[in-house]
Amino acid sequence: MKHLTAATAMALALPGTALAQDTLFQLDEIIFSAGLTALEASRTGVSIEVLTEDELSQAGEIQLSDYLATLPGLSVTRNGPAGSTTNVRIRGANQSFVGVYVDGIQVNDPTSTNGQFAGFGSLTTGTLRRVEILRGSQSAVYGGSAVAGVISVTTVAGPDEPEGTTQTASVEAGSYGTFSTEYGYTQRTGPLTLSFGLSHMQTDGFSAAEENAGNTESDSSQSTRTSFGLIYEVSPNFTVGANAFYETSDAEFDEFVGSAPGDGTPGDETSELDTAGFRVFAEYEALNWSHSVTGTYLQTRRWLASETVQSLFSSPFESDFDGERTTLRYLATTAIGETRLSFGMDWQREQATFTGLIGGSRSIETAGAFAEAIFTASPDLDLFASARHETNSAFGDISTWRLAYSYRPNDIVTFRGAVATGYRSPSLSELYGTFPIGNGQFFFGNPDLTPEESVSFELGADLDFGNEAMMSATVFRLEIDNFITYQDCARDPMSFECISSATYANISGVSTFQGVELSASVPISEAATLSAAYTYTDARQADNSRVSRVPRHDLAIGLDATLAPDWTASATVRTVADIMDSASRVGDDYTTMDATIGYALSDGAELYLRIENLLNEDYQTVRGYGTSDRAAYIGIRARF
């Protein structure tokens, strides 16, 4: 919902970003990376949202997912308090269709049910430097899992940090026994740039299962995250670097007891998620060519346990899930006349190991080749073409492409449009997983599943009036063929007990996600700025039924103001209407309000108070799961 600005490109954090620059593509202060090379915001041709370090540090939300929910085209559902299962959707498509990257490392969990990122429930805004959200199919650039878009998170310093040392720190405490703290360190000394970040959050939480249904057990969680980055300029034409992160989190959750989530036995359902990532890269420029070689490694471990028999599964259980992803990538870029050309190749291996997997351990390898051309037809018009061909060890050859344009008739207006194809391969769990579903019955994966294929369309216009006044509008449509959906077991009509196994299956026909995104920001005085974001989404499966948990109407209105020389305030009001869950409404439409007030203790330190759900709205985003009551938090943050 914030005005789209950024300081410098975090080229380190984005896969495939070339550091080479030339006079034709000289980058100004506002930079995005929606393809294989970095470009100014107005020249990418696709829908992008950028959250800067300042916006994130001043956010009225500690959970990144809560901030994302205020942006056009994004919606969030959560099964309870912080640490619970959290699904971030782009344009109505769920998280299995969203590629998520942290510091250039893809973090979608190879062991998760649908291949989604499992960490949004614990990822906080502390120590984050930048977040980029790309909407629309991006498989031609990012490969599979990018059917609906990409979310790229940066926690380490980029190559353009100022000389010297910068540190940030914050401490916050408040409702539900919540405590969080973060520390960030950046140092650039000549050719060497170092960065380090550490954040911790813990909370007693509230009941994941709706308290109004008689559930009283608080479900606690805690998470700790650390990151490290290094960039060294060996020479003006040769740069090397490495970055790494490690996050550990654990949480209590509520299972189904009967036909709805419930407390069961207090403290008996627990989960743990450990994630570690490592990335190395080298970049070299010679004879008008920029070469980049990158290697990444991701390791995930999830652990779930229920110690008693008072749950749907009718017996105690304990499950370990271990996943790995290794990638290698080469990219070359050059400029020929008015055209920027990029091409490269990559290789990826994903592996999952857990007892519920047929064979105990499974892996899939993918080898790809890709290319992109950016043609500057005139100073006002850029044309883009991207293509990718992959060979998947389980599904054979898959090709995707993307075409886009950006037209700027004057200094105020930018017209843009894109059409792109995408795909998502079934996850290892969807193909080969086995899980109990209660009463001695099981879910069995379907090895005959085929990849989901997509095509997305969008047309948009951006107006920048200067002085922080802007407007943006986008019409979008996403079509997904061979949509994979959960097929419940057949049940006895009298006892409602399973009489067959559950599985996943491809739905014949096309599922559609279409709508409109609108956003605006306008200064209403020298001391206050008003912003708004609205999304209309009509999401339907091939049989024309509504897709569950996608709000049809989502409106967020924000106000940022300076009250006095040392006082600032902000507030966000969000209204969500018409949400379906399992063919019926989740509940009533709802309106929430969050507010923050800050006092500058010095040039680099601020004391603040923030209040979530100021109106104390009683609402749900997932049927049967609770949300926070009115909650207050006080904290102090500093930059020095």
Side-chain angles (χ1 to χ4, degrees):
M1 224 174 67
K2 299 289 187 180
H3 186 52
L4 305 185
T5 60
T8 56
M10 293 296 182
L12 168 64
L14 300 174
T17 299
L19 295 181
Q21 302 179 14
D22 55 50
T23 55
L24 177 63
F25 285 83
Q26 185 66 37
L27 304 182
D28 58 24
E29 189 178 33
I30 301 177
I31 305 171
F32 303 89
S33 190
L36 299 179
T37 58
L39 283 174
E40 295 94 327
S42 61
R43 299 178 63 180
T44 63
V46 296
S47 297
I48 304 174
E49 194 90 21
V50 173
L51 308 179
T52 68
E53 184 175 7
D54 287 342
E55 290 170 343
L56 292 165
S57 65
Q58 298 294 322
E61 300 87 6
I62 190 172
Q63 297 293 121
L64 176 62
S65 58
D66 291 337
Y67 197 132
L68 296 178
T70 67
L71 304 177
L74 277 74
S75 60
V76 176
T77 57
R78 180 185 290 130
N79 294 16
S84 302
T85 300
T86 302
N87 195 321
V88 177
R89 292 172 171 82
I90 296 182
R91 293 176 172 172
N94 69 40
Q95 200 166 296
S96 62
F97 297 110
V98 179
V100 183
Y101 292 78
V102 175
D103 298 330
I105 304 165
Q106 187 180 3
V107 291
N108 295 66
D109 187 351
T111 73
S112 60
T113 305
N114 304 114
Q116 70 270 28
F117 173 51
F120 272 124
S122 60
L123 188 58
T124 66
T125 56
T127 72
L128 301 188
R129 297 170 183 262
R130 181 179 174 92
V131 179
E132 294 192 0
I133 303 103
L134 283 69
R135 307 181 187 92
S137 293
Q138 308 293 332
S139 292
V141 177
Y142 289 88
S145 301
V147 168
V150 169
I151 297 175
S152 180
V153 177
T154 301
T155 72
V156 295
D160 299 320
E161 292 292 326
E163 192 80 12
T165 300
T166 302
Q167 300 179 76
T168 61
S170 70
V171 177
E172 180 182 284
S175 299
Y176 303 115
T178 301
F179 173 81
S180 65
T181 184
E182 65 87 15
Y183 172 75
Y185 176 88
T186 303
Q187 178 180 320
R188 180 174 180 181
T189 305
L192 178 64
T193 301
L194 297 173
S195 58
F196 171 79
L198 176 66
S199 62
H200 175 78
M201 189 274 291
Q202 62 187 52
T203 179
D204 295 336
F206 49 87
S207 177
E210 176 60 61
E211 293 178 339
N212 291 337
N215 300 292
T216 59
E217 175 203 6
S218 295
D219 292 304
S220 64
S221 69
Q222 64 174 350
S223 63
T224 301
R225 191 177 200 289
T226 183
S227 60
F228 170 80
L230 177 153
I231 303 174
Y232 185 72
E233 188 178 292
V234 180
S235 71
N237 296 324
F238 183 39
T239 301
V240 297
N243 53 270
F245 70 84
Y246 175 74
E247 179 173 3
T248 180
S249 61
D250 58 71
E252 295 179 309
F253 63 95
D254 286 336
E255 295 182 64
F256 272 72
V257 179
S259 60
D263 283 343
T265 299
D268 93 309
E269 298 102 6
T270 55
S271 67
E272 181 179 324
L273 173 63
D274 294 339
T275 306
F278 181 67
R279 177 175 182 259
V280 293
F281 71 92
E283 295 177 332
Y284 181 70
E285 298 177 33
L287 302 176
N288 202 36
W289 283 88
S290 173
H291 304 270
S292 173
V293 179
T294 306
T296 71
Y297 176 76
L298 174 77
Q299 184 178 61
T300 63
R301 178 184 178 273
R302 290 188 297 123
W303 178 76
L304 300 173
S306 179
E307 298 176 1
T308 68
V309 298
Q310 299 184 41
S311 72
L312 176 67
F313 299 109
S314 304
S315 62
F317 72 89
E318 181 175 321
S319 301
D320 281 285
F321 303 82
D322 293 295
E324 294 181 73
R325 178 184 293 110
T326 304
T327 66
L328 297 173
R329 182 183 180 99
Y330 168 74
L331 173 68
T333 300
T334 191
I336 301 176
E338 303 300 317
T339 303
R340 169 65 65 89
L341 296 175
S342 301
F343 69 88
M345 60 190 70
D346 56 20
W347 172 86
Q348 174 179 277
R349 184 177 188 271
E350 292 182 320
Q351 179 173 315
T353 302
F354 53 92
T355 55
L357 197 63
I358 296 175
S361 182
R362 293 275 181 163
S363 64
I364 291 179
E365 293 187 11
T366 305
F370 49 87
E372 181 178 78
I374 305 174
F375 176 59
T376 301
S378 72
D380 302 324
L381 177 63
D382 292 301
L383 304 175
F384 307 84
S386 305
R388 181 182 184 90
H389 182 79
E390 292 187 349
T391 300
N392 185 292
S393 62
F395 302 104
D397 294 339
I398 303 173
S399 296
T400 53
W401 51 266
R402 184 182 71 180
L403 301 174
Y405 79 92
S406 173
Y407 175 55
R408 304 166 297 280
N410 54 52
D411 292 338
I412 296 176
V413 181
T414 297
F415 294 106
R416 51 181 166 75
V419 56
T421 61
Y423 82 96
R424 185 187 79 89
S425 296
S427 70
L428 292 168
S429 180
E430 289 170 326
L431 291 167
Y432 310 114
T434 62
F435 303 98
I437 56 175
N439 300 315
Q441 299 298 316
F442 281 81
F443 159 87
F444 287 97
N446 182 357
D448 295 325
L449 290 173
T450 60
E452 296 164 303
E453 299 179 350
S454 73
V455 59
S456 68
F457 311 85
E458 66 176 61
L459 286 173
D462 303 318
L463 286 77
D464 189 344
F465 302 102
N467 193 31
E468 297 190 5
M470 56 77 66
M471 296 179 62
S472 181
T474 304
V475 178
F476 65 87
R477 180 179 174 88
L478 171 65
E479 300 176 356
I480 301 177
D481 198 8
N482 297 323
F483 197 77
I484 296 174
T485 186
Y486 178 78
Q487 301 287 304
D488 198 7
C489 62
R491 296 181 182 272
D492 182 279
M494 300 298 293
S495 65
F496 204 60
E497 293 184 357
C498 288
I499 56 177
S500 68
S501 299
T503 189
Y504 276 99
N506 291 104
I507 299 176
S508 60
V510 176
S511 300
T512 59
F513 303 78
Q514 59 187 350
V516 178
E517 297 162 349
L518 304 173
S519 63
S521 176
V522 58
I524 56 178
S525 71
E526 292 184 358
T529 299
L530 183 68
S531 57
Y534 169 74
T535 306
Y536 169 81
T537 307
D538 182 26
R540 297 185 179 273
Q541 297 187 111
D543 62 1
N544 204 40
S545 61
R546 291 272 301 277
V547 176
S548 289
R549 303 175 185 174
V550 179
R552 179 167 284 176
H553 305 281
D554 195 334
L555 171 67
I557 299 175
L559 178 65
D560 295 287
T562 300
L563 305 180
D566 295 324
W567 291 89
T568 59
S570 64
T572 301
V573 177
R574 183 167 177 245
T575 296
V576 177
D578 197 0
I579 312 177
M580 306 294 288
D581 193 345
S582 301
S584 60
R585 292 176 66 91
V586 171
D588 296 333
D589 303 337
Y590 62 87
T591 298
T592 63
M593 180 177 181
D594 300 331
T596 302
I597 187 168
Y599 175 72
L601 300 173
S602 66
D603 288 341
E606 181 186 36
L607 179 70
Y608 65 90
L609 170 69
R610 66 182 186 90
I611 302 177
E612 292 184 358
N613 195 9
L614 182 63
L615 305 178
N616 205 30
E617 183 84 346
D618 185 11
Y619 68 101
Q620 295 179 357
T621 62
V622 178
R623 182 184 304 279
Y625 289 95
T627 54
S628 174
D629 296 330
R630 183 187 296 118
Y633 306 88
I634 188 169
I636 185 171
R637 52 194 167 215
R639 186 181 187 90
F640 50 95

